Amino acid sequence: MNEQTVIIKRRFSDKLKKGYPLVEQGALSEKAKFGHEGSILRFVDESGVFIGKGYYGKQNKGIGWMLTQRENESINTNFFSGKIQAALDERASLFSDKHTTAFRVLNGEGDGIGGLTIDYYDGYYVCTWYSEGIYSFRDHVYKALESIMSYKGVYEKKRFASKGQYVEDDDFVMGERGDFPLLVKENGITFAVYLNDGPMVGVFLDQRDVRNRIRDEYAKGKEVLNTFSYTGAFSVAAALGGATKTTSVDLAKRSHAKTIEQFSVNGIDYEAQDIVVMDVFNYFKYAKKKEKTFDLVILDPPSFARSKKHTFSAAKDYTSLLQDAISITEKNGVIIASTNCSTFTMEKFQTFIKDAFKKEKLSYQILEEYRLPDDFRTNKSFREGNYLKVVFIKRVG
Ligand code: SAH
């Protein structure tokens, strides 16, 4: 393939040389004339010294990814096979785990292919493409998949319209079509997933360790509130762990049926649980008015959400969300605060926790912290790729 040499500005070239994989907006020293998305770029510094090779592809994060720092390595089917094979080898223990049949197989830049993720769901693979640029390598990637994996079927998600929005399509690629819901397992918990029904399949695989911990250590005998509950995955884990009752709150109408389904496939009587379709912020008001309290409160909001009355931004509003949660958590109760927002660090997140308790004039103790599970492999040079931050907090006072 043709390679186009582009000069990286000094401010950006030092980072790239150290292995930072993202080509940021503004990194190119002249308005590059590299044509179309998917062009192979050869990066050099201002003195013409080779830095690496990658591709042009516009994503919210930047304008492309560096794929190799080896000058004589070509970006071809072999390149992708090598990365995918290495990623599969890394997950060998998950592939042989009878109790877990859904996990991430290739995590973008963490596994050397910025802009692409591959997830596994009991014999089916889902490739998520984050730019037109990376999507132009699809034939290489699918050829690589065909030659090294055995699979029942492959689906894909295209998230490269504007701002990473999902492109509506028939997501089936090759192999045989699945029968949905497909029932997958995670540490013995069953989840119903739909691989051909929009951008999200029904479970977020990055919370596996947290769900496991809730079930095994935090749920027994507890009254649990799960906010921003989506399909109720945390509620299912809590119910299986012996929670006396779970309450799941989500604004989306379809979350009600989806949550019933997740309880049902685990043999849990959903009628003994509360599933509430409501704005979480209104739910907090309602709970305060009724003096309802909980032993365990789970907060897992999106980074940014707009409802009729509220705009929520994790970076700006997490402290006040925590204050609401604190006010309806029992003394000695636990709050599990989670965020997938990549624009602030764990240290910053902990300042939100500190501020919230200070404002509520209460003390707290941090019990444990979680980041992404091992299958969501990250690149050490790219801290923002380790987006998930989960803190288990005990309300002491
Ligand atoms: N905690 C979930 C994932 C949350 S995804 C899990 O572990 O599976 C974010 C969810 O927040 C979406 O389902 C969305 O419908 C919901 N949401 C966004 N804004 C909301 C609001 N103001 N009130 C209630 N739910 C909201």
Side-chain angles (χ1 to χ4, degrees), residues 204 228-230 234 250-252 278-281 300 302 305 307:
F204 288 105
F228 306 96
S229 57
Y230 180 45
F234 285 127
D250 197 291
L251 188 62
M278 198 193 262
D279 189 315
V280 161
F281 301 98
D300 184 28
S307 60

Side-chain angles (χ1 to χ4, degrees), residues 199-229:
M200 299 189 294
V201 305
V203 63
F204 288 105
L205 299 176
D206 54 2
Q207 297 278 13
R208 180 176 63 246
D209 293 346
V210 177
R211 284 189 284 265
N212 197 35
R213 196 75 182 136
I214 290 173
R215 181 191 58 186
D216 292 352
E217 296 293 335
Y218 285 87
K220 200 168 173 50
K222 303 291 194 241
E223 175 117 7
V224 179
L225 173 65
N226 179 12
T227 63
F228 306 96
S229 57

Side-chain angles (χ1 to χ4, degrees), residues 166-295:
Y166 169 74
V167 182
E168 200 73 48
D169 213 339
D170 175 6
D171 289 339
F172 176 71
V173 180
M174 59 189 185
E176 60 183 67
R177 282 179 183 265
D179 245 341
F180 302 119
L182 177 70
L183 299 185
V184 297
K185 275 197 189 318
E186 180 194 87
N187 295 310
I189 306 176
T190 303
F191 290 113
V193 297
Y194 295 78
L195 306 184
N196 205 1
D197 187 22
M200 299 189 294
V201 305
V203 63
F204 288 105
L205 299 176
D206 54 2
Q207 297 278 13
R208 180 176 63 246
D209 293 346
V210 177
R211 284 189 284 265
N212 197 35
R213 196 75 182 136
I214 290 173
R215 181 191 58 186
D216 292 352
E217 296 293 335
Y218 285 87
K220 200 168 173 50
K222 303 291 194 241
E223 175 117 7
V224 179
L225 173 65
N226 179 12
T227 63
F228 306 96
S229 57
Y230 180 45
T231 61
F234 285 127
S235 309
V236 169
L240 290 173
T244 45
K245 189 176 149 189
T246 66
T247 300
S248 307
V249 183
D250 197 291
L251 188 62
K253 283 204 182 67
R254 57 185 287 178
S255 70
H256 191 263
K258 291 276 179 192
T259 304
I260 289 177
E261 180 178 40
Q262 301 296 20
F263 279 128
S264 303
V265 296
N266 284 282
I268 300 161
D269 175 13
Y270 67 85
E271 289 183 340
Q273 314 295 328
D274 270 350
I275 305 169
V276 184
V277 176
M278 198 193 262
D279 189 315
V280 161
F281 301 98
N282 290 337
Y283 186 81
F284 282 127
K285 279 188 207 137
Y286 158 83
K288 277 183 225 175
K289 205 163 93 196
K290 297 264 173 191
E291 296 183 358
K292 266 176 99 71
T293 57
F294 296 88
D295 305 305

Side-chain angles (χ1 to χ4, degrees), residues 1-3 38 40-42 50 52-55 66-83 112-113 137 140:
M1 240 187 255
N2 266 349
E3 288 176 11
I40 305 267
L41 306 180
R42 184 174 164 275
F50 174 79
K53 284 193 227 177
Y55 69 89
M66 182 164 71
L67 298 177
T68 178
Q69 290 185 275
R70 278 186 248 167
E71 186 148 23
N72 53 13
E73 186 166 38
S74 300
I75 311 301
N76 51 22
T77 304
N78 261 348
F79 171 85
F80 289 105
S81 303
K83 295 291 178 205
I113 312 179
F137 300 105
H140 290 297

Side-chain angles (χ1 to χ4, degrees), residues 298-336:
I298 300 163
L299 301 174
D300 184 28
S303 297
F304 193 81
R306 182 170 288 152
S307 60
K308 274 190 202 115
K309 281 195 189 146
H310 289 95
T311 300
F312 175 84
S313 144
K316 291 200 190 102
D317 305 318
Y318 214 110
T319 303
S320 86
L321 174 65
L322 276 160
Q323 284 181 263
D324 281 332
I326 292 165
S327 68
I328 61 164
T329 302
E330 285 283 344
K331 189 177 171 191
N332 292 322
V334 172
I335 295 171
I336 298 177

